[in-house]
Amino acid sequence: MNHEFDAIAKLFQQRTPLQHPTTRIGNGDDASTHEIPQGFELVISTDTAVQGVHWPHNMGLDIAGNRAIQAALSDLAAMGAKPAWLWLSIMATNEHDLQQMSHGIVQACQQQAVELAGGDTVTSPTNAINVTVGGLIQKNKAMRRNNAVIDDDVWLFGDVGLSAAGLNQWLDGEHDGTFVPHFQDILPQLEQSQSLIDLAIKCCIDISDGLLQDAGHIAKASQVGIIINIENIKLLPSYAKLQHLGDEQVLKHILSGGEDYALLFTAPAKHQLTLSQLGAFKLGHCAQGSSVHLCYDGKTIDYNIKGFDHFA
Ligand code: ADP
Ligand code: MG
């Protein structure tokens, strides 16, 4: 028996038997094939996580595997798609590390009921995971960054700042810190995303690089100004939870901390009540302009802490 194929079968294929109803040829051939149901569009996204860049060297590789899958699925949530399949390219320094990463990957596939439709397994000087996710959405329903319009309200599903606080705790050696799980256990807002589709919301992004930076993507793509009220920021659960860090640090975490995978979206004012009842937080509104502004007590305030930039 070939050792490599044996390991792939044992670590991945046998533990992920789930097949999406659209799948014709599943895992095990040179490629997988899938039918696109009438009236639907295919939604695809790819994401890479590298040890020492996207997760600390001393963090469990099972956790890294789980995070990689959940973070990739968050891009489908941002578009409003329902996840169906994923394809995995895994780079492992040795078989033990491969095994560890596989545990978290399989766990995430099972938890989110997504089919592992194929992959590639290679040795590498660094552990890394590339995940391509595929999902389905009804034709012309996908939420986009360029669909915000003036007078829309700006909303958040999920919370921001806690993941950054958790990563800081981990890097400070507080491995059992209260915020660490917010960094380690990502939960993409998939159900909330379907609520947005039901309301015919048109503009959404998931926050991976920080609230201000990702809001800036909507502002630029939609050519609207995005006004975020500090008064609203102070009502977020994370604001109270992080209060012990002091005002400046709390704001920095909330406005620029990445990787909470919350959804930032814009909606016409008529949805205010429904969105509040669904547990979304209103952050501000869209106005003329093409960038993000923070507002406090009716006045614009200066703030220039940037989100994460790989090439800064
Ligand atoms: P090929 O040489 O045709 O590219 P591989 O030898 O890389 O195929 O993989 C054999 C089979 O195992 C393929 O069907 C592939 O999709 C699947 N596979 C490989 N690695 C993984 C993985 N990490 N997770 C899931 N399936 C995998
Ligand atoms: Mg082949």
Side-chain angles (χ1 to χ4, degrees):
M1 181 65 97
N2 177 297
H3 193 70
E4 176 193 332
F5 298 130
D6 212 21
I8 293 170
K10 209 170 75 199
L11 294 178
F12 296 100
Q13 291 163 324
Q14 288 166 13
R15 293 201 286 169
T16 54
L18 180 83
Q19 271 204 359
H20 194 265
T22 56
T23 296
R24 294 291 159 263
I25 302 172
N27 196 335
D29 216 307
D30 288 309
S32 61
T33 71
H34 312 272
E35 270 179 27
I36 312 300
Q38 185 90 38
F40 283 80
E41 287 172 15
L42 184 60
V43 184
I44 298 178
S45 170
T46 193
D47 248 319
T48 301
V50 178
Q51 187 170 31
V53 179
H54 297 89
W55 78 85
H57 281 286
N58 59 355
M59 201 179 84
L61 292 174
D62 52 339
I63 291 166
N66 188 302
R67 280 187 96 245
I69 305 289
Q70 307 279 11
L73 291 172
S74 176
D75 282 324
L76 293 184
M79 302 300 288
K82 283 189 184 162
W85 329 272
L86 64 85
W87 298 266
L88 170 72
S89 275
I90 188 158
M91 291 135 268
T93 52
N94 59 57
E95 201 168 340
H96 174 264
D97 288 2
L98 178 68
Q99 210 174 58
Q100 293 304 305
M101 288 189 279
S102 80
H103 294 326
I105 286 162
V106 167
Q107 183 188 47
C109 290
Q110 289 172 351
Q111 186 197 346
Q112 301 292 4
V114 182
E115 171 182 348
L116 182 56
D120 197 21
T121 307
V122 298
T123 56
S124 147
T126 314
N127 289 315
I129 302 163
N130 172 265
V131 188
T132 300
V133 289
L136 294 167
I137 191 164
Q138 276 182 30
K139 276 198 168 147
N140 301 317
K141 288 282 180 75
M143 298 185 285
R144 301 192 53 175
R145 300 173 177 198
N146 66 0
N147 276 337
V149 293
I150 291 172
D151 290 339
D152 268 0
D153 290 322
V154 176
W155 291 85
L156 185 73
F157 255 136
D159 213 345
V160 282
L162 300 174
S163 175
L167 177 59
N168 280 354
Q169 279 185 329
W170 182 276
L171 296 175
D172 286 344
E174 280 181 65
H175 291 185
D176 54 2
T178 39
F179 299 109
V180 169
H182 290 282
F183 174 74
Q184 295 190 330
D185 307 328
I186 298 170
L187 264 188
Q189 307 268 316
L190 289 161
E191 278 170 28
Q192 291 83 348
S193 149
Q194 289 309 300
S195 303
L196 297 181
I197 294 297
D198 292 343
L199 290 171
I201 299 300
K202 295 193 164 37
C203 177
C204 183
I205 189 170
D206 71 323
I207 303 182
S208 49
D209 295 332
L211 173 60
L212 289 188
Q213 182 158 313
D214 287 319
H217 293 317
I218 291 184
K220 191 166 171 222
S222 299
Q223 286 296 297
V224 298
I226 292 193
I227 316 293
I228 292 177
N229 297 314
I230 296 292
E231 286 89 343
N232 293 336
I233 294 287
K234 290 187 170 185
L235 296 175
L236 291 174
S238 55
Y239 196 89
K241 288 181 189 163
L242 296 171
Q243 195 60 74
H244 63 284
L245 297 174
D247 266 346
E248 196 181 321
Q249 279 297 313
V250 182
L251 274 186
K252 186 176 163 208
H253 278 81
I254 290 180
L255 297 174
S256 311
E259 309 215 293
D260 290 282
Y261 298 96
L263 295 180
L264 185 73
F265 59 97
T266 77
K270 65 179 178 190
H271 293 309
Q272 166 125 0
L273 182 62
T274 314
L275 288 168
S276 300
Q277 285 168 343
L278 286 169
F281 299 100
K282 189 170 150 184
L283 297 184
H285 67 281
C286 299
Q288 286 204 342
S290 57
S291 58
V292 183
H293 301 277
L294 288 177
C295 205
Y296 187 63
D297 204 13
K299 294 185 205 69
T300 303
I301 59 168
D302 274 344
Y303 187 87
N304 58 10
I305 298 177
K306 294 271 189 297
F308 189 74
D309 181 347
H310 273 273
F311 297 102

